[in-house]
């Protein structure tokens, strides 16, 4: 599963692990991705979304109907 939020578009960030001797190795900062199922009354069915925790907060604030409408406008398959 790709570490990408369907609502916010959050993707992994990249950086370095720095050891005590100051050697640098590449590392990855993954967003906190969760699979969450919502019932969408306009579609009359459950929708499973791959969300970051910030995406879940966006749905709590704006509502699932508004977020699904934006996703459809962007062309995301639901």
């Amino acid at each position: 599963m790709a570490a990408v939020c369907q609502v916010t578009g959050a993707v992994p960030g990249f950086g370095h692990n720095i050891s005590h001797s100051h050697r640098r190795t590449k590392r990855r900062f993954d967003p906190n991705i969760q699979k969450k199922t919502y019932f969408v009354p306009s579609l009359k069915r459950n929708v499973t979304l791959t969300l970051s925790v910030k995406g879940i907060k966006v749905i709590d604030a704006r509502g699932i109907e508004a977020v699904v409408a934006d996703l459809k406008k962007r062309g995301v398959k639901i």
Side-chain angles (χ1 to χ4, degrees):
M1 175 173 73
V4 178
C5 177
Q6 289 180 302
V7 174
T8 62
V11 293
F14 294 90
H16 290 95
N17 278 329
I18 301 179
S19 70
H20 181 70
S21 65
H22 227 63
R23 284 181 64 115
R24 290 179 166 95
T25 56
K26 292 297 265 179
R27 66 161 293 179
R28 203 172 127 131
F29 297 93
D30 285 330
N32 189 358
I33 296 292
Q34 311 288 322
K35 273 195 173 231
K36 194 115 163 86
T37 303
Y38 291 96
F39 179 75
V40 183
S42 63
L43 301 176
K44 296 185 178 114
R45 66 183 179 93
N46 288 326
V47 172
T48 301
L49 298 172
T50 305
L51 303 169
S52 63
V53 175
K54 186 172 181 180
I56 294 171
K57 291 177 184 177
V58 168
I59 290 174
D60 288 345
R62 294 179 52 208
I64 187 66
E65 293 285 346
V67 172
V68 166
D70 284 347
L71 289 174
K72 284 189 167 222
K73 203 180 297 181
R74 284 193 308 194
V76 176
K77 187 174 184 284
I78 297 175

